[in-house]
Amino acid sequence: MVRKTAGPPTPGVAPAILGEKTPLPETFSDGLPLPKMMVFDLDYTLWPFWVDTHVTPPLKAKDSNARAVDRWGESFAFYPDVPSILLAASAISITIAAASRTSAPDLANQMLKLLYLRPLPLTNSSTPLSPTTPTTPTFTSSNNSSKDKRAIDVFSHLQIFPGDKKQHFTKLKKQSGLPFEEMLFFDDETRNRNVETLGVVMWLVCDGVSRAEVDKGVREWRRRNGRERSERCAAA
């Protein structure tokens, strides 16, 4: 895979601030099975930079924690779709985890603490989000920054350390008690497909996590596990 050379992130990457009517992944509300855990790499998966190469501490939050700047004034934020995806997955009780092999785990954790997610509003129909919601729910932006949530707070498990990612997933299985078959992993590096020998389904993302990539990943997880039909019991 062609990767960006070391240096500041590409200029022009917009901070991940939700606009009005941000649609969610279709698979979150189509009534079909969802993985119990979604695991995300960090660099070039949730955010468009290498935290151990491009970021120079100390970090400072800007724009109500929508982005962070480092010692040299370089700006860092999530890919645009990431906040709504993380909030929506959390809202429908999908366990969220991180699996990163960065050599700067403390800096990665600090970035996750500084970057905030917009609060989760009601769907268009004013009903709570659920995997069986018949229509595609949407987020609307909120100006109440006092209710913004730190990104790190939606993660139930953080495995951030250098090494083979099979180690990360072995720890995630032990911590969560979930089988590997219930895990869907998003990553930008083909070498990390080795986790599939454990039973994890990995979806390769080339330009960061987006709503479309999440839908593709979920559909692949369903296909690989033979779970492409509704598992809800018919009403008596």
Side-chain angles (χ1 to χ4, degrees):
M1 177 183 299
V2 177
R3 300 296 299 271
K4 294 179 176 66
T5 56
T10 303
V13 176
I17 302 174
L18 293 180
E20 295 185 1
K21 304 276 186 175
T22 302
L24 304 182
E26 294 177 0
T27 51
F28 281 15
S29 59
D30 63 7
L32 299 180
L34 290 165
K36 288 187 168 72
M37 177 184 284
M38 285 188 177
V39 186
F40 298 91
D41 175 42
L42 297 177
D43 297 341
Y44 288 102
T45 300
L46 291 186
W47 50 48
F49 52 88
W50 287 310
V51 73
D52 58 2
T53 302
H54 295 153
V55 184
T56 305
L59 294 174
K60 181 182 295 186
K62 293 287 185 180
D63 298 334
S64 300
N65 294 81
R67 64 186 179 96
V69 296
D70 72 353
R71 178 187 297 273
W72 309 117
E74 297 291 343
S75 183
F76 303 93
F78 289 121
Y79 284 106
D81 287 356
V82 165
S84 63
I85 290 167
L86 294 179
L87 286 169
S90 177
I92 57 176
S93 300
I94 294 174
T95 300
I96 301 172
S100 170
R101 64 198 312 162
T102 181
S103 60
D106 290 343
L107 195 56
N109 273 277
Q110 186 182 2
M111 188 73 73
L112 289 171
K113 291 176 181 177
L114 284 180
L115 296 179
Y116 279 34
L117 310 176
R118 297 287 184 180
L120 185 65
L122 295 176
T123 66
N124 283 348
S125 59
S126 298
T127 58
L129 283 171
S130 76
T132 56
T133 303
T135 56
T136 302
T138 62
F139 285 116
T140 53
S141 61
S142 170
N143 293 322
N144 190 352
S145 60
S146 65
K147 295 182 180 179
D148 287 355
K149 179 179 289 189
R150 298 187 308 169
I152 200 169
D153 291 335
V154 303
F155 287 86
S156 298
H157 307 283
L158 294 171
Q159 292 298 330
I160 305 175
F161 58 89
D164 189 319
K165 289 206 176 175
K166 289 199 291 186
Q167 298 177 49
H168 298 67
F169 276 87
T170 299
K171 291 177 180 291
L172 287 174
K173 182 177 185 290
K174 184 177 181 179
Q175 287 180 344
S176 68
L178 294 173
F180 292 125
E181 292 76 14
E182 286 290 349
M183 301 180 188
L184 173 59
F185 179 38
F186 295 91
D187 197 292
D188 68 309
E189 293 191 84
T190 55
R191 63 175 172 168
N192 294 321
R193 282 195 185 279
N194 66 339
V195 301
E196 295 197 329
T197 62
L198 301 173
V200 176
V201 172
M202 175 181 148
W203 184 255
L204 185 69
V205 296
C206 295
D207 295 301
V209 166
S210 66
R211 297 185 299 275
E213 294 296 333
V214 169
D215 280 335
K216 291 175 184 176
V218 170
R219 288 173 181 135
E220 179 66 7
W221 175 85
R222 290 169 178 169
R223 186 188 70 79
R224 298 253 207 108
N225 287 286
R227 300 178 68 181
E228 297 178 281
R229 295 185 178 184
S230 174
E231 297 175 352
R232 289 177 292 166
C233 295

